[in-house]
Amino acid sequence: MKKLIASLAASAVASLVAVGGLTLAGPASAGGASGCHFHGMTTASKETVSTCAVKRKEVLIAEGKIDNTWADAKLATLDQIDGKSSKEWRVTFTNPAASDKAKDTLYMFFTLQGNLIASNFSGK
């Protein structure tokens, strides 16, 4: 029975590899990933981080964590800063339509690889 299961598993893997459904490669890097979760040590490009920040902003709106007026807010800044333990990306969006002027800037922090660390209105 064990041989049958092992044989079927090997056959399934071989079929996936043959049709390109499985890639036996090293860890994904920020440059080649289509989502916004990255592995490895490759520093994400500004374009990758800005795309992920916009996607994350849309998720925050959909989850009701920020109001719908943020949908039209444009990315204001994107730079690398010294974080608590290492360098990080800091992305800011400004929302002139925010009713609370103390919360008219949304800050997002990402690892250098492009993974979200936190988002808030305080910038800390």
Side-chain angles (χ1 to χ4, degrees):
M1 186 65 157
K2 287 182 183 180
K3 287 183 181 182
L4 175 62
I5 292 172
S7 176
L8 289 173
S11 178
V13 169
S15 295
L16 284 172
V17 171
V19 296
L22 179 67
T23 303
L24 301 175
S29 66
S34 61
C36 290
H37 179 82
F38 307 100
H39 298 274
M41 298 305 295
T42 303
T43 299
S45 68
K46 282 188 171 189
E47 293 79 20
T48 298
V49 176
S50 65
T51 299
C52 290
V54 169
K55 287 180 182 180
R56 183 61 189 155
K57 179 181 66 138
E58 291 169 356
V59 168
L60 292 172
I61 293 167
E63 291 176 347
K65 294 183 178 178
I66 59 177
D67 64 51
N68 291 337
T69 63
W70 283 96
D72 294 329
K74 302 293 184 216
L75 191 143
T77 65
L78 189 156
D79 51 359
Q80 287 186 17
I81 62 166
D82 290 323
K84 289 182 180 178
S85 61
S86 64
K87 289 256 186 210
E88 301 173 354
W89 288 106
R90 178 181 59 197
V91 180
T92 62
F93 291 90
T94 55
N95 182 4
S99 57
D100 183 352
K101 292 304 173 190
K103 294 183 178 181
D104 66 352
T105 302
L106 175 64
Y107 298 87
M108 293 185 182
F109 300 91
F110 293 83
T111 64
L112 285 183
Q113 294 77 25
N115 295 309
L116 180 70
I117 298 170
S119 56
N120 59 51
F121 294 110
S122 70
K124 298 178 184 178

